[in-house]
Amino acid sequence: MVRTSFDPELVKIRVKKVPIFANFTDNELSSLLGKANIYGYRSGETVFMDDDHGPQMYIILKGRVKVVDFSSDGKERVMAFRHSGDFFGDMDLLDGRTDFATIIAMQPCKLLLITKTLFDEFFLKNNDALQGIIAMLCKRLREAWIFHSIIGMNNAESKIRATLARYGKTLGIQDSSGVIITKHFSHQSLADRVLITRETVSRIMKKMKIEHEIEIQEGRCIKLLPAFYDKYAQCEHCMTLPTDGTGADSRV
């Protein structure tokens, strides 16, 4: 971690896209950013360990991180991915506690740090910002519940199918022949996400490619084809998943 700089105007643009800052005036945003610090992290560097940091919030200005926890035998489990425009640590600021998770940079990152003192100064008197935080927490809770249900499935293929469908909904872009998941996920990261082996993921993904359910695009992004959604609609396990009320089980 090193303290670093970032183009102030680009910071404003990125931060303004975060829902909790959407209603900030330019003056409020400039005042907030004038008191915040930006830090850079190398790929693979730990931003913080679980329960090893004070209550503070990070906004990703550049790069991508993963949220992980570790089992008693030291095995890493990926809980979520966060990229440019996302933030984490917001719950720490609300209750003064710390997250029981570890954050690791997946590529060179620049993160804006907001301390609890700064949060209290700017947010506690801004009802619009507080409403934005509540909405974001509810969204994350629904997402966590959906993946908790996916992990609970007893069929590995259904786990992968449901996970890809979810990423197609939250990270997908529709084109004329399918839905392109805009972020690359390795077979290992998919395996960690739903608690199965990488070999199982590779076997299932190969089968899906052979049966023309998916294609691998430039940059190793996954494209979900109509045949994928046809099989998803017939997947008994997938149909039992909770939804977020946004049509998450259909095409983007």
Side-chain angles (χ1 to χ4, degrees):
M1 175 185 72
V2 294
R3 188 169 176 178
T4 185
S5 60
F6 203 77
D7 185 326
E9 291 306 313
L10 283 178
V11 174
K12 273 190 177 182
I13 292 172
R14 297 284 173 82
V15 174
K16 192 72 173 178
K17 291 181 179 179
V18 177
I20 62 174
F21 294 103
N23 295 316
F24 270 47
T25 66
D26 285 342
N27 287 338
E28 287 174 330
L29 203 54
S30 295
S31 181
L32 171 70
L33 296 177
K35 298 181 179 182
N37 290 318
I38 297 172
Y39 294 93
Y41 295 84
R42 300 183 302 274
S43 178
E45 187 175 1
T46 298
V47 178
F48 60 74
M49 297 291 292
D50 60 338
D51 204 25
D52 188 30
H53 63 101
Q56 51 201 24
M57 173 182 176
Y58 293 82
I59 299 171
I60 305 175
L61 302 176
K62 178 182 178 182
R64 187 163 177 252
V65 304
K66 59 181 177 180
V67 184
V68 304
D69 68 0
F70 294 92
S71 63
S72 57
D73 59 0
K75 184 177 180 181
E76 178 183 294
R77 180 170 74 92
V78 178
M79 301 169 64
F81 298 97
R82 300 281 182 257
H83 52 81
S84 180
D86 285 341
F87 61 87
F88 52 90
D90 37 301
M91 291 182 66
D92 302 356
L93 298 184
L94 292 175
D95 63 11
R97 301 181 180 182
T98 55
D99 289 336
F100 292 98
T102 295
I103 307 295
I104 301 173
M106 300 183 68
Q107 54 188 233
C109 294
K110 288 196 175 182
L111 309 180
L112 177 71
L113 171 64
I114 297 177
T115 64
K116 177 147 180 69
T117 299
L118 198 56
F119 174 86
D120 289 346
E121 178 182 346
F122 283 88
F123 283 76
L124 294 187
K125 61 183 180 182
N126 189 323
N127 288 332
D128 289 335
L130 291 177
Q131 288 296 325
I133 290 177
I134 292 170
M136 183 60 69
L137 291 176
C138 289
K139 178 181 178 181
R140 288 187 178 178
L141 181 60
R142 292 189 185 100
E143 190 76 4
W145 178 243
I146 288 171
F147 274 102
H148 175 77
S149 298
I150 292 173
I151 289 171
M153 292 177 175
N154 59 13
N155 179 278
E157 184 170 331
S158 296
K159 286 185 177 186
I160 293 299
R161 198 175 297 282
T163 298
L164 292 178
R166 187 62 193 164
Y167 286 148
K169 176 62 184 179
T170 58
L171 299 170
I173 295 178
Q174 180 105 43
D175 72 2
S176 59
S177 60
V179 175
I180 300 172
I181 300 173
T182 56
K183 300 296 180 181
H184 164 59
F185 296 98
S186 68
H187 288 188
Q188 186 63 61
S189 66
L190 288 172
D192 291 340
R193 190 69 177 88
V194 294
L195 302 183
I196 58 180
T197 67
R198 181 187 61 78
E199 291 76 16
T200 298
V201 173
S202 297
R203 173 177 55 79
I204 293 170
M205 297 285 282
K206 181 179 180 180
K207 177 174 177 284
M208 288 182 173
K209 284 191 288 185
I210 291 173
E211 296 181 356
H212 304 291
E213 292 187 61
I214 63 173
E215 290 178 356
I216 305 302
Q217 302 286 292
E218 183 178 354
R220 299 187 60 79
C221 291
I222 299 169
K223 183 175 185 177
L224 307 178
L225 302 174
F228 171 87
Y229 287 101
D230 290 341
K231 289 196 175 181
Y232 182 84
Q234 299 168 18
C235 175
E236 182 178 348
H237 293 92
C238 296
M239 292 300 98
T240 65
L241 289 176
T243 71
D244 58 5
T246 61
D249 297 331
S250 61
R251 294 172 176 81
V252 173

